[in-house]
Amino acid sequence: MIEPFGNQYVVARPVYSTNAFEENHKKRDRHHKTFLDHLKVCLSCSPQKAKRIVLSLFPIASWLPGYRLKEWLLSDIVSGISTGIVSILQGLAFALLVTVPPGYGLYAAFFPTVIYLFFGTSKHISAGPFPILSTMVGAATIRLAQSFPENTGSSNNSTSNFPSLDDYKVMVAASITMLSGVIQLALGILRIGFVVIYLSESLISGFTTAAALHVLVSQLKFIFQLTVPSHGDPFSFFKVLYSVFSQIEKTNIADLVTALIVLLVVSIFKEINQRFKDKLPVPIPIEFIMTVIATGVSYGFDFQKRFNVSVVGTMNVGFESPKAPNVTVFQETIGDCFAIAMVGFAVAFSVACVYSLKHDYPLDGNQELIALGLSNIVSGAFRGFAGSTALSRSAVQESTGGKTQIAGLISAIVVLIVILAIGFLLEPLQRSVLAALALGNLKGMLMQFTEICRLWRKDKYDCLIWVMTCIFTIVLGLALGLAASVAFQLLTIVFRTQFPKCSTLANIGRSNIYKNKKDYYDMYELKGVKIFRCPSPIYFANIGFFRQKLIDAVGFSPLRILRKRNKALRKIRKLQKQGLLQVTPKGFICTVDTIKDSDEELDNNQIQILDQPIDTTDLPFQIDWNDQLPLNIEVPKISLHSLILDFSAVSFLDVSSMRGLKSILQEFIRIKVDVYIVGVDDDFVEKLNRYAFFDGEVKTSILFLTIHDAVLHISMKKDYSTSEFKPSQEKDGKIDFTINTNGGLRNREYQVRFFNRFIFT
């Protein structure tokens, strides 16, 4: 019963151990589904289930019939045209990151958008090239391209079918894209999209920041127009920097000046778009404007011949026929492809979540994997490269009024027009301009360096994950850096659970609230009682740490006390058998002064016997281990009589830790310290029972619902001889304590006096 009194309440209920609670409250018989039950449900078929599967596989079928033509079409058209222009420019620019001719970036901008229209669940993200993924594909492509005859001076069967290095790179990038898509599709079909949860926000932020630095370094050769050898191994970041600055005197000034002007103007107008986004009807398409101007100036003044600048060059008209991937590339890039698949999904899903929360519609992570997987498979078949979603492109689609993926369809049509009809107009465009446009999209990622200070204030572990992820990715490269970062992140989780912040609790304000006794002033500890809290799972890696922290908290080792007492008991028993020890009402009388050293040697040679429970039933007297023993036998004295283990935050135990925990409990019980475990849930208790944790020594009666239940039980147990309390009342469940509004304890039927002295015999 709970009786509220303003901002206070009075609780009246029995003191519950777990056994007493289960006696008074019958548990419901629940059927836990087995694997066969889940399999039957999975294999069952009905019209409703078939319809649900079709709608989940083709989300367009659920929203297209309800499309509001008059309200949404104009907004989607405006949004689609704006997004399409950005997609064209980003496709051309990001192709440089993949180290393939810019025209192939248009394929990567077209196919993912069309496929995502039918299979994606987000209404606002723009599928297509993403600079980080393009850099990851480019890194793997560069590594394999080093075996091309142009680079090695020799030929082999895997490269002899390609007339040029660019053709070989296109094939490698397309094969990597298809395998990444297959991995995403498989993960989606198997419904294991949850693997992305291992990429935390701090890890993704640190990784994308480091990847942005890779993008920056990779574009320097286009901005300075330098011939930089390909580097695909670890430390490539520093090797590229060395190659660039070692030949800086060969810089093409025209390319450098053009790139700096474009980068400056784009950065200024992007800032204007950000500052005045609420006042501008649509963002200023500065990339498109600068591309038109740069193309016109380059063509009008013939920059290619006058200043020897590098231009986009010949643009293929139309599409290439689909081709099968190269299996050899699969074998050599499986690790890269898995990293690309994970990063692509993580970025796309995180952006999609932002817009789904803003516009209140559901997302399906597994379906997103299927959509992205199919997009990459089709894109790779037509010589595109891996895509996800670019944050800036999705922001344009949403901010310009896009309501559904019809806007994505319109943007794909815009890209299609360029592929089929007007792509030749972009041939005079300098590659340094595309590099500047790619760098203009990195501001948001590079600004993530400010996360370090914020994370340091909030959580130093997350800050460390961010910093180490950034370092690993810069030094080891994108794929190896991501793998090392995930491993380091998991290591921090293990470290935090392996070395948890255990604490000793005490009563605050003499109420039913227990807090770390180091944190508050008004703390009350019942004499002879320790309350120890472990805030993490207990498993094989931290059971030793748990034991040591528990020993530190109570101030002694129970095993050492047990061995000391058994040694002393052997000496006392030997003296008693030899008639050298007599017991009087006033104490012991011993007729010898010393003990031979051989007795000590005998004890030390039988250590296992000393770990057994103390048995004094054969003696005609009881031993008070905290009193003076005969012959000045030294046994450490302890004042602890009860130990409460708060396991409310312990989510699981493994077999090794169960064995270790039981050993710890037995050691305390054998030295007459009562141990109580509180706060565990029913599944935890069921697991203990399943592993035969309880026996005649460690009993189920040590389990209590709360810390306060255990404290009240201890108080009654130790003081019942000086009060009106009767043990039978506990069995009958008639003990009823109430928390007074002033924080004290009272009994409804009788008053219990509490003493701070306890007698052990």
Side-chain angles (χ1 to χ4, degrees), residues 139-163:
T141 302
I142 288 171
R143 190 179 72 249
L144 268 66
Q146 291 175 351
S147 62
F148 195 76
E150 268 185 35
N151 295 326
T152 62
S154 61
S155 62
N156 55 61
N157 293 333
S158 63
T159 61
S160 58
N161 297 327
F162 300 94

Side-chain angles (χ1 to χ4, degrees), residues 359-653:
H359 297 279
D360 192 25
Y361 59 84
L363 282 180
D364 184 347
N366 291 306
Q367 182 61 28
E368 287 294 294
L369 271 172
I370 292 174
L372 292 173
L374 291 174
S375 298
N376 284 327
I377 290 173
V378 174
S379 179
F382 285 92
R383 292 300 184 259
F385 49 84
S388 174
T389 183
L391 281 68
S392 58
R393 193 170 63 246
S394 296
V396 169
Q397 179 165 321
E398 192 267 345
S399 63
T400 52
K403 304 297 182 184
T404 65
Q405 282 299 331
I406 295 297
L409 178 62
I410 301 298
S411 71
I413 293 174
V414 173
V415 177
L416 182 64
I417 293 172
V418 175
I419 293 174
L420 298 178
I422 61 175
F424 68 93
L425 296 176
L426 296 171
E427 292 179 359
L429 180 63
Q430 294 170 245
R431 292 195 175 198
S432 60
V433 173
L434 294 178
L437 294 177
L439 297 184
N441 287 284
L442 299 180
K443 178 188 173 184
M445 298 180 196
L446 294 175
M447 289 300 293
Q448 291 178 139
F449 274 110
T450 58
E451 289 285 297
I452 296 177
C453 296
R454 183 183 67 85
L455 291 174
W456 181 259
R457 291 192 300 269
K458 292 188 174 181
D459 190 308
K460 291 180 174 56
Y461 278 106
D462 278 340
C463 182
L464 184 62
I465 290 171
W466 195 104
V467 172
M468 294 307 299
T469 298
C470 191
I471 293 174
F472 286 147
T473 307
I474 290 174
V475 174
L476 300 178
L478 297 174
L480 287 177
L482 180 62
S485 302
V486 172
F488 180 79
Q489 176 185 246
L490 296 177
L491 187 63
T492 62
I493 297 173
V494 172
F495 183 84
R496 279 185 269 191
T497 57
Q498 188 174 351
F499 304 103
K501 293 183 178 180
C502 301
S503 57
T504 302
L505 307 184
N507 185 280
I508 184 167
R510 299 210 175 207
S511 62
N512 63 335
I513 300 173
Y514 294 83
K515 294 286 186 180
N516 190 333
K517 68 177 185 179
K518 296 180 180 179
D519 292 340
Y520 296 90
Y521 290 107
D522 185 19
M523 306 300 288
Y524 169 71
E525 281 189 286
L526 198 62
K527 187 176 180 181
V529 178
K530 282 288 183 185
I531 306 172
F532 183 78
R533 182 175 188 271
C534 179
S536 77
I538 302 177
Y539 59 107
F540 65 93
N542 69 356
I543 183 64
F545 181 82
F546 169 82
R547 179 191 184 93
Q548 187 57 49
K549 282 294 182 181
L550 181 58
I551 290 174
D552 294 342
V554 299
F556 61 86
S557 169
L559 183 59
R560 179 173 176 271
I561 300 294
L562 178 61
R563 289 177 177 177
K564 288 283 188 180
R565 289 186 179 181
N566 270 321
K567 282 184 180 182
L569 183 60
R570 289 173 64 89
K571 296 174 185 177
I572 293 172
R573 185 178 284 116
K574 188 172 184 179
L575 291 172
Q576 194 268 335
K577 286 182 179 179
Q578 294 177 354
L580 303 177
L581 184 65
Q582 299 178 4
V583 182
T584 68
K586 294 184 178 182
F588 294 102
I589 297 178
C590 188
T591 59
V592 295
D593 297 331
T594 59
I595 299 178
K596 294 182 181 180
D597 294 337
S598 59
D599 294 338
E600 292 286 343
E601 293 175 5
L602 180 63
D603 291 337
N604 290 329
N605 291 331
Q606 299 183 14
I607 263 311
Q608 293 183 349
I609 297 177
L610 302 181
D611 294 343
Q612 299 304 312
I614 298 172
D615 183 14
T616 60
T617 56
D618 61 326
L619 297 178
F621 49 81
Q622 295 292 328
I623 301 175
D624 183 1
W625 295 107
N626 286 337
D627 202 351
Q628 185 69 30
L629 298 179
L631 274 179
N632 295 322
I633 297 175
E634 293 293 335
V635 174
K637 297 176 175 57
I638 60 173
S639 60
L640 182 72
H641 60 74
S642 299
L643 173 64
I644 300 175
L645 301 178
D646 180 11
F647 279 7
S648 57
V650 178
S651 55
F652 71 88
L653 290 169

Side-chain angles (χ1 to χ4, degrees), residues 120-149:
T121 58
S122 174
K123 299 178 182 179
H124 294 92
I125 69 169
S126 174
F130 178 56
I132 306 305
L133 285 191
S134 300
T135 305
M136 296 177 73
V137 175
T141 302
I142 288 171
R143 190 179 72 249
L144 268 66
Q146 291 175 351
S147 62
F148 195 76

Side-chain angles (χ1 to χ4, degrees), residues 166-470:
D166 282 344
D167 291 331
Y168 181 69
K169 286 183 176 180
V170 169
M171 182 277 299
V172 171
S175 299
I176 291 172
T177 299
M178 291 190 70
L179 181 55
S180 301
V182 170
I183 292 173
Q184 290 175 327
L185 181 62
L187 292 176
I189 292 175
L190 296 175
R191 319 299 287 179
I192 52 178
F194 64 86
V195 295
V196 76
I197 64 177
Y198 294 107
L199 304 179
S200 68
E201 181 181 342
S202 300
L203 186 145
I204 292 175
S205 177
F207 177 78
T208 53
T209 304
L213 293 177
H214 276 280
V215 173
L216 174 62
V217 170
S218 69
Q219 296 305 289
L220 292 179
K221 64 181 180 181
F222 297 108
I223 292 177
F224 293 107
Q225 197 186 340
L226 300 173
T227 303
V228 177
S230 300
H231 299 286
D233 53 350
F235 304 103
S236 61
F237 181 89
F238 305 103
K239 294 177 180 179
V240 171
L241 278 179
Y242 175 77
S243 298
V244 169
F245 288 105
S246 63
Q247 50 181 326
I248 196 71
E249 72 279 357
K250 300 178 183 179
T251 299
N252 187 305
I253 302 301
D255 269 324
L256 176 61
V257 172
T258 304
L260 291 178
I261 292 174
V262 171
L263 183 59
L264 178 63
V265 174
V266 168
S267 299
I268 291 173
F269 276 86
K270 278 185 172 291
E271 189 66 26
I272 292 174
N273 285 338
Q274 182 64 28
R275 292 272 183 98
F276 301 99
K277 61 181 179 181
D278 295 331
K279 297 181 180 180
L280 293 172
V282 294
I284 300 172
I286 188 60
E287 292 99 336
F288 175 72
I289 295 172
M290 292 306 297
T291 301
V292 172
I293 294 174
T295 305
V297 172
S298 177
Y299 176 77
F301 291 94
D302 198 7
F303 276 9
Q304 185 177 12
K305 291 183 178 179
R306 293 182 62 183
F307 301 108
N308 194 30
V309 299
S310 177
V311 297
V312 170
T314 304
M315 296 279 290
N316 295 331
V317 178
F319 298 98
E320 295 188 9
S321 58
K323 296 180 181 179
N326 189 308
V327 179
T328 304
V329 175
F330 284 2
Q331 297 173 352
E332 298 185 19
T333 60
I334 180 67
D336 302 271
C337 293
F338 188 82
I340 290 168
M342 289 296 95
V343 173
F345 172 61
V347 171
F349 191 67
S350 61
V351 175
C353 284
V354 172
Y355 293 121
S356 70
L357 292 174
K358 182 177 180 180
H359 297 279
D360 192 25
Y361 59 84
L363 282 180
D364 184 347
N366 291 306
Q367 182 61 28
E368 287 294 294
L369 271 172
I370 292 174
L372 292 173
L374 291 174
S375 298
N376 284 327
I377 290 173
V378 174
S379 179
F382 285 92
R383 292 300 184 259
F385 49 84
S388 174
T389 183
L391 281 68
S392 58
R393 193 170 63 246
S394 296
V396 169
Q397 179 165 321
E398 192 267 345
S399 63
T400 52
K403 304 297 182 184
T404 65
Q405 282 299 331
I406 295 297
L409 178 62
I410 301 298
S411 71
I413 293 174
V414 173
V415 177
L416 182 64
I417 293 172
V418 175
I419 293 174
L420 298 178
I422 61 175
F424 68 93
L425 296 176
L426 296 171
E427 292 179 359
L429 180 63
Q430 294 170 245
R431 292 195 175 198
S432 60
V433 173
L434 294 178
L437 294 177
L439 297 184
N441 287 284
L442 299 180
K443 178 188 173 184
M445 298 180 196
L446 294 175
M447 289 300 293
Q448 291 178 139
F449 274 110
T450 58
E451 289 285 297
I452 296 177
C453 296
R454 183 183 67 85
L455 291 174
W456 181 259
R457 291 192 300 269
K458 292 188 174 181
D459 190 308
K460 291 180 174 56
Y461 278 106
D462 278 340
C463 182
L464 184 62
I465 290 171
W466 195 104
V467 172
M468 294 307 299
T469 298
C470 191

